[in-house]
Amino acid sequence: MKAYLYDNLPGDQRLPHDSGRAIDADALSRLGVLYYRFPNIQDVDKLAADRGYKNRDEVTVSPEKMGEAYEEKVKMFFHEHLHEDEEIRYIKGGQGFFDVRSKDDEWVRVRLEKDDLLILPAGIYHRFTTDEENFVYAMRLFKDEPKWTPLNRSRYLDANSFREQYVKQFLAG
C-alpha cells in the first residue's frame, strides 16, 4: 500500500497522480480507512469473522473479463460516491487505486496491490480505478447480502444519515 495526496493534474485517471506528499496508515485510520496486509486467506477469514462479514464474492475488473463494458465501468467507479455500508476489498491480483476525501476535502490516493485489504467506512466519499495495467482481481466482503449501491456526491447527500454519522465521527472537530 502506498498513500499520498492526489496531484489533481489532468491526465488518465489510471496514472499514479502522485503529488509526492505521502500519507501514512495512521492518517488514513483517522479518516476511518483501515488498511491490512494479509498474505494468506486465513487472515482475511479471521477479520471477516471478527467484523461480522457473512458474505463475499470475487470480481475481476479487466477488458478481457468485462469486454466492451470495461471502459464505461471504470469511468463509473471513478465517479465520487459513498455507500451506506462499509466497503471492504481484498486484492487477490493486479492493482488499483482507491481515492478518499481528506478532512480538508482533498483526494488521498491509496494504491493497493496483491494481499492488501482496505476497509472504507460507510459515508466516506471515495472513488476507484484500475492502474495502467487495467487489471484487478478482488474479493468483496459484505456484512449481509452482497450489494453495491453507490450514491453519487451531491449537496443533498450531505443530509444522508450515514454521511452525517461519518462526518460526526471522523471529520468534526
Side-chain angles (χ1 to χ4, degrees):
M1 183 274 296
K2 179 179 179 182
Y4 49 88
L5 289 179
Y6 186 84
D7 66 13
N8 289 310
L9 296 175
D12 191 317
Q13 69 196 36
R14 292 169 276 209
L15 295 173
H17 288 279
D18 189 343
S19 68
R21 297 184 296 166
I23 302 292
D24 64 20
D26 288 338
L28 288 175
S29 71
R30 288 190 295 276
L31 296 173
V33 176
L34 303 177
Y35 166 77
Y36 301 90
R37 179 125 181 113
F38 289 147
N40 64 66
I41 197 67
Q42 292 81 9
D43 293 326
V44 176
D45 293 341
K46 182 176 181 334
L47 178 84
D50 291 348
R51 293 183 70 90
Y53 303 144
K54 300 179 194 98
N55 291 296
R56 61 182 73 183
D57 68 8
E58 295 182 2
V59 62
T60 301
V61 180
S62 73
E64 292 75 23
K65 187 72 171 179
M66 302 173 91
E68 291 181 21
Y70 172 76
E71 288 295 334
E72 184 179 320
K73 285 286 189 186
V74 169
K75 286 178 183 161
M76 182 186 76
F77 297 153
F78 202 64
H79 287 248
E80 184 174 7
H81 62 277
L82 63 79
H83 301 286
E84 293 182 338
D85 299 308
E86 286 184 335
E87 182 165 343
I88 308 95
R89 297 295 181 266
Y90 176 59
I91 307 302
K92 297 183 81 173
Q95 49 199 25
F97 299 108
F98 274 94
D99 297 339
V100 297
R101 287 292 187 177
S102 73
K103 197 170 188 169
D104 298 325
D105 210 31
E106 292 183 271
W107 283 118
V108 174
R109 176 152 276 196
V110 183
R111 180 183 173 273
L112 298 176
E113 59 187 21
K114 185 178 183 315
D115 299 332
D116 288 341
L117 185 141
L118 195 71
I119 301 174
L120 302 180
I124 190 172
Y125 286 123
H126 66 282
R127 60 190 184 187
F128 171 79
T129 189
T130 57
D131 70 358
E132 296 170 277
E133 297 296 318
N134 294 311
F135 174 81
V136 67
Y137 174 45
M139 176 184 290
R140 305 182 299 182
L141 293 99
F142 305 92
K143 290 198 175 194
D144 295 307
E145 289 302 311
K147 63 180 176 180
W148 189 83
T149 306
L151 302 174
N152 289 332
R153 188 169 185 171
S154 73
R155 61 187 173 99
Y156 304 107
L157 199 52
D158 287 338
N160 173 287
S161 63
F162 292 90
R163 177 65 184 166
E164 287 177 334
Q165 180 58 37
Y166 174 78
V167 168
K168 181 179 176 183
Q169 185 173 356
F170 296 106
L171 302 182

